[in-house]
Amino acid sequence: MMRALYSSVSGLRTHQTKMDVIGNNIANVNTVGFKSSRTTFSTMMYQTTAYASGANAATGKGGVNAMQIGLGTTFASTAVDIDTGGASESTGKAFDLKLSDTNSTSFYIVNNGSENVFTRAGAFYVDGAGNLCMESTGYTVMGWQVDANGNIVKDTVTPLRIMSPQNQTSQPEYTTDAKCTGILDDNNANVNSDKGYMMSLNFFDNLGYSYNAKFSVQKTGAKDDGEYTVNLTDILDSNGKSIMAGASIGLSDLFGSGSQGSKVDVTDSYTLASGMANALKKLATDPDTTVNGTTTSSTRTYKFPSELINEKLGTTLDFLPEGLTVEYTVTVNDQTGENDLTGPTSFRIVDGAGVDVTQTYIAQFDPTTNGSGWVTADGITHKITATDMIEQWNNRNLLDKKTIPNNTTTPPSSEQAYFLKPDQLQQLKDKFKGLNADGTPATGGNVLDQNSLDNMQIRVKFKPDGTVDTIEAYNPPAGDTTWGDVATFLTGATKNETIVDYLNQGYLSVTAEEANTMGIFTTELPRDLEIQYKEADGSFKIVTPATDGFKMQFSTADGSLMYIGQEGSTSQTLKLSMYQTEENPFSDIQIDFSTLQNLANGATNTAAVSPGGADSEGKGKRVGVMTGLQVDDSGKIYGSYSNGNTVLLGQIAVARFANASGLESIGDNCYRTTMNSGEFDGIGVEMDSDGSSIDSGTLEMSNVDLASEFTQMITTQRGYQANSRVISTSDSILEELVNLKR
């Protein structure tokens, strides 16, 4: 009877233990990453009252089983349901991480200050030192670090300090590539102006400082011939200050072909300092003692753009190509400082690179030479007749071509004749009115002085060699019905003009270095800018060098870019490395012009320069400030920065065990290895190595099944009640036994 009591007591004890486990499961039903446990019982020892005996063939007696009486039950084991995942709870927090296992159970590796332990609870945060830690305990999350090249080093796990001081910012990147895209239209007013059509390129240096390179595009060829020039006009820092001011190199060094640029008017970019107008005049008009590299008496050199020479000494047709400069040097009276036009003079023509090309174009003028190669004369003249102008117009196909009847033949026939346009007739009158054949004033004037000529039609017939054959006119309002020959008058009209007549329309050149030395402008000018000062009215213009820039040639068939700079090239380099110093760490920028087009676009230009190549690489970036953190499926942690960079900061490593159920729970949602779980190698594995993943913004909840727990609670309660009934029944029987004595 005492055995029954003791057996029931053991039953009460084991069922109470099971109830403890159930209570713990239910208590942790909302614990992040909690794994439920279950209990198993086993029988205790048995008391054998009779041993089993075998069958006896001799006596024919059968075998007898052993007689045993059990002595109760005992608590056999608890088993953790480690492999069953809990439900997912979406939180949206970047460092709420859920381990989604595929083939094996994984654990985060965390350090409690003395050892590495393991957890499934992925509620993490970044502490004040920048470490990734468990929210509940502050244990640091362990993982792998990145090397100097930004690659993960899978070595012994260390704390993930993802917001260390060096991770707070992202390194800047210098600009290496840019592209010029859009449309240039010949009819756009800006490309046909002295200032050109402006484009800006924003770029970064090696330290992340931003700059703005300014370019100007000008139409430098004839209309519809597809020729343009692009020039660098300045480079400004983030404060709007020119970095070229005071630099030892010039604009043409950074972006120039040596001869293909054009002089861009940048006057509006600079301001004359207060009270410095007289200083500029003095600097411009001070006599020079050096002409073309040779020391002479005091002189002053006036410069005339070829366009001005064409207008004043030539015709509306260019007899000098654009981009040339005519230099006329006069002697200066040392006492008065005035020009002495009776003294020796010199004359030369230079191209945009400063190369003397006088002998190439001198035939256009009527000078005398001194045998040394330099042209000298009291006045450089250009002689032209009305017939010369008409022949030039014909060569350029600028005359009206008409079919007229020829009534002098039998039978009558038709022939081609050429007619002067009204504006061409007006040009002839402006140029030759009142002149004799030798250029002297004509007594009574010539045919161009006649008012009736305004109503005349003038036709010209040419010989096979392109020279004028006949020039005829008739005046319908005056009743004329036949053509009258006016060839004598027009052929005899000759214009003799001297460059001295337009001396005040030339300019005196002042270098930027001279102006900077005297502080004439409020800000310094790039060293190779030129100040063109007009003595007549004190006006000035600041222009870029003619060697600054590149010629762009577009196809006249489809408007696509054929080349820039030289044939075969569709890109050019902004050579900033020439400006690189310890204080200014610049790198070259390759600018791609290949997609730029020359098309009719309603006189509107859309051309623009933007950083980055065709694949947006090489744009450059300023220093970035961390703006966010994120974790990918493999546990890699990335930082997002204000400059657009995304940088790998580290990777969360996980641990896997041969027998995860053998881990020892040490509280705080953590486990420790045991002799039956398998050891941790100190390195860990990548989460996605077996197809598993880490889900960011999600937590793994408890895997406790309340329905199962409540069922187990009922069966445990019934077992406990039954054992208590055995005890009370045994007690009643013992009481009856005691009562026998009474």
Side-chain angles (χ1 to χ4, degrees):
M1 190 57 63
M2 297 299 293
R3 285 193 297 262
L5 285 171
Y6 286 117
S7 294
S8 297
V9 169
S10 68
L12 291 176
R13 184 181 298 112
T14 53
H15 280 81
Q16 179 59 58
T17 302
K18 183 175 182 179
M19 195 64 194
D20 293 340
V21 172
I22 293 172
N24 182 61
N25 288 342
I26 294 175
N28 287 282
V29 69
N30 288 317
T31 300
V32 176
F34 177 78
K35 300 297 182 180
S36 63
S37 300
R38 62 186 178 88
T39 57
T40 56
F41 298 163
S42 66
T43 58
M44 292 181 68
M45 66 177 68
Y46 280 77
Q47 180 180 357
T48 303
T49 59
Y51 292 97
S53 62
N56 191 327
T59 62
K61 187 175 180 180
V64 178
N65 292 330
M67 290 183 289
Q68 293 180 301
I69 300 172
L71 300 179
T73 183
T74 187
F75 187 73
S77 68
T78 57
V80 180
D81 189 8
I82 202 78
D83 297 326
T84 302
S88 298
E89 178 186 0
S90 178
T91 66
K93 294 177 62 177
F95 287 118
D96 280 350
L97 307 176
K98 178 180 181 292
L99 297 172
S100 296
D101 297 310
T102 299
N103 298 312
S104 55
T105 304
S106 305
F107 295 84
Y108 297 112
I109 307 160
V110 295
N111 191 280
N112 61 11
S114 59
E115 63 175 332
N116 289 331
V117 293
F118 312 95
T119 184
R120 294 279 299 185
F124 301 140
Y125 80 110
V126 179
D127 70 5
N131 297 307
L132 188 62
C133 300
M134 290 182 67
E135 277 188 353
S136 57
T137 62
Y139 295 171
T140 55
V141 180
M142 310 294 281
W144 302 311
Q145 311 297 331
V146 294
D147 61 16
N149 298 319
N151 299 315
I152 293 294
V153 179
K154 295 182 179 180
D155 203 345
T156 302
V157 293
T158 53
L160 289 171
R161 194 179 183 191
I162 59 175
M163 290 190 69
S164 60
Q166 60 267 30
N167 289 344
Q168 296 295 312
T169 57
S170 173
Q171 287 299 307
E173 298 177 13
Y174 52 81
T175 303
T176 59
D177 294 280
K179 55 183 177 293
C180 183
T181 59
I183 295 174
L184 292 172
D185 189 331
D186 280 5
N187 294 319
N188 181 265
N190 290 326
V191 296
N192 291 290
S193 69
D194 291 340
K195 298 177 182 179
Y197 171 72
M198 299 303 298
M199 303 186 300
S200 296
L201 169 63
N202 293 313
F203 67 93
F204 296 95
D205 69 5
N206 300 9
L207 299 178
Y209 291 105
S210 63
Y211 298 85
N212 183 270
K214 293 185 173 296
F215 298 89
S216 174
V217 181
Q218 290 179 314
K219 186 79 178 74
T220 47
K223 181 175 172 58
D224 299 328
D225 69 353
E227 182 182 320
Y228 284 79
T229 301
V230 58
N231 304 269
L232 176 69
T233 62
D234 208 346
I235 299 178
L236 308 179
D237 62 18
S238 58
N239 296 318
K241 181 181 178 181
S242 172
I243 68 170
M244 302 303 297
S248 60
I249 58 175
L251 296 168
S252 57
D253 297 316
L254 299 185
F255 195 77
S257 60
S259 63
Q260 291 177 296
S262 57
K263 294 189 175 184
V264 180
D265 184 350
V266 294
T267 311
D268 291 346
S269 299
Y270 302 94
T271 303
L272 192 68
S274 178
M276 296 305 291
N278 289 333
L280 179 59
K281 177 181 179 180
K282 178 174 173 48
L283 189 60
T285 58
D286 266 355
D288 195 354
T289 57
T290 302
V291 179
N292 306 325
T294 302
T295 301
T296 67
S297 58
S298 298
T299 58
R300 189 171 290 137
T301 299
Y302 294 87
K303 298 182 179 182
F304 301 84
S306 54
E307 295 84 354
L308 179 62
I309 293 293
N310 290 340
E311 176 188 348
K312 299 302 181 183
L313 300 186
T315 70
T316 54
L317 304 176
D318 297 343
F319 75 95
L320 283 181
E322 291 185 3
L324 300 181
T325 301
V326 174
E327 296 182 352
Y328 188 70
T329 303
V330 300
T331 305
V332 176
N333 186 302
D334 289 332
Q335 281 72 40
T336 65
E338 300 296 327
N339 295 335
D340 182 4
L341 299 179
T342 63
T345 62
S346 68
F347 168 92
R348 72 170 187 162
I349 306 171
V350 296
D351 65 12
V355 177
D356 191 324
V357 293
T358 307
Q359 298 306 316
T360 303
Y361 300 102
I362 195 59
Q364 306 287 350
F365 299 91
D366 183 33
T368 58
T369 61
N370 62 3
S372 64
W374 295 114
V375 179
T376 60
D378 290 339
I380 302 302
T381 60
H382 177 66
K383 294 182 178 180
I384 189 169
T385 67
T387 303
D388 293 332
M389 292 182 65
I390 293 172
E391 288 176 351
Q392 290 182 32
W393 284 326
N394 181 51
N395 292 334
R396 297 276 292 273
N397 295 318
L398 297 177
L399 298 177
D400 280 340
K401 186 176 182 180
K402 299 179 182 178
T403 300
I404 60 174
N406 186 351
N407 297 321
T408 63
T409 62
T410 304
S413 62
S414 298
E415 61 179 330
Q416 295 288 324
Y418 298 84
F419 291 79
L420 295 183
K421 299 175 182 177
D423 65 310
Q424 292 169 336
L425 180 57
Q426 186 62 46
Q427 289 180 48
L428 291 174
K429 295 182 69 172
D430 292 343
K431 180 71 72 173
F432 302 108
K433 186 176 180 180
L435 295 178
N436 288 319
D438 61 358
T440 60
T443 303
N446 60 29
V447 69
L448 295 173
D449 294 281
Q450 301 174 16
N451 293 330
S452 60
L453 192 63
D454 294 336
N455 299 315
M456 284 186 179
Q457 289 195 35
I458 298 180
R459 74 181 182 187
V460 186
K461 295 180 182 178
F462 295 92
K463 298 176 182 179
D465 63 359
T467 59
V468 170
D469 185 7
T470 62
I471 303 176
E472 301 172 307
Y474 83 99
N475 190 352
D480 293 346
T481 58
T482 59
W483 294 93
D485 187 4
V486 292
T488 302
F489 296 96
L490 293 178
T491 305
T494 302
K495 180 75 170 181
N496 290 340
E497 288 191 302
T498 172
I499 199 169
V500 175
D501 295 336
Y502 302 101
L503 204 60
N504 285 337
Q505 297 191 35
Y507 65 86
L508 299 168
S509 181
V510 177
T511 68
E513 291 178 305
E514 292 173 320
N516 290 341
T517 300
M518 296 184 65
I520 290 177
F521 294 91
T522 55
T523 58
E524 289 191 353
L525 278 61
R527 66 187 302 270
D528 54 357
L529 290 185
E530 179 187 22
I531 304 167
Q532 299 179 353
Y533 182 84
K534 279 194 175 182
E535 188 178 11
D537 57 8
S539 63
F540 66 90
K541 182 166 70 172
I542 305 173
V543 297
T544 61
T547 54
D548 162 33
F550 294 95
K551 173 184 175 182
M552 295 191 297
Q553 182 62 55
F554 294 89
S555 168
T556 57
D558 60 10
S560 62
L561 181 73
M562 297 175 63
Y563 65 86
I564 177 172
Q566 60 277 338
E567 292 188 17
S569 174
T570 57
S571 64
Q572 287 297 336
T573 303
L574 182 59
K575 297 182 283 288
L576 292 168
S577 58
M578 296 187 65
Y579 191 74
Q580 185 167 357
T581 64
E582 185 176 349
E583 295 79 19
N584 298 300
F586 290 98
S587 295
D588 290 346
I589 300 176
Q590 189 77 8
I591 306 176
D592 179 11
F593 291 85
S594 61
T595 59
L596 190 63
Q597 295 178 292
N598 177 211
L599 301 170
N601 191 40
T604 300
N605 284 341
T606 61
V609 187
S610 57
D615 55 359
S616 295
E617 293 297 320
K619 294 178 65 174
K621 298 174 181 178
R622 58 170 51 89
V623 173
V625 179
M626 183 180 286
T627 58
L629 294 164
Q630 58 268 359
V631 183
D632 71 4
D633 292 350
S634 65
K636 291 178 179 176
I637 305 172
Y638 293 91
S640 300
Y641 297 85
S642 59
N643 62 359
N645 277 357
T646 299
V647 180
L648 179 60
L649 305 178
Q651 184 173 5
I652 298 172
V654 296
R656 294 185 181 129
F657 301 94
N659 175 26
S661 297
L663 292 170
E664 175 190 357
S665 179
I666 58 174
D668 295 325
N669 281 347
C670 294
Y671 302 89
R672 180 186 290 127
T673 58
T674 66
M675 295 181 64
N676 196 40
S677 64
E679 292 298 324
F680 172 57
D681 63 2
I683 298 175
V685 296
E686 198 166 0
M687 183 62 185
D688 60 357
S689 60
D690 68 344
S692 301
S693 64
I694 295 178
D695 298 334
S696 178
T698 306
L699 287 177
E700 179 186 8
M701 300 307 294
S702 168
N703 68 350
V704 173
D705 182 356
L706 281 178
S708 175
E709 296 301 323
F710 285 146
T711 301
Q712 290 294 321
M713 190 186 305
I714 292 172
T715 59
T716 302
Q717 180 183 12
R718 294 306 181 207
Y720 192 92
Q721 287 176 334
N723 277 278
S724 65
R725 292 297 183 268
V726 170
I727 293 175
S728 60
T729 301
S730 296
D731 178 58
S732 297
I733 293 173
L734 287 174
E735 184 179 358
E736 290 298 327
L737 180 61
V738 172
N739 288 337
L740 288 176
K741 183 182 178 184
R742 298 179 184 155

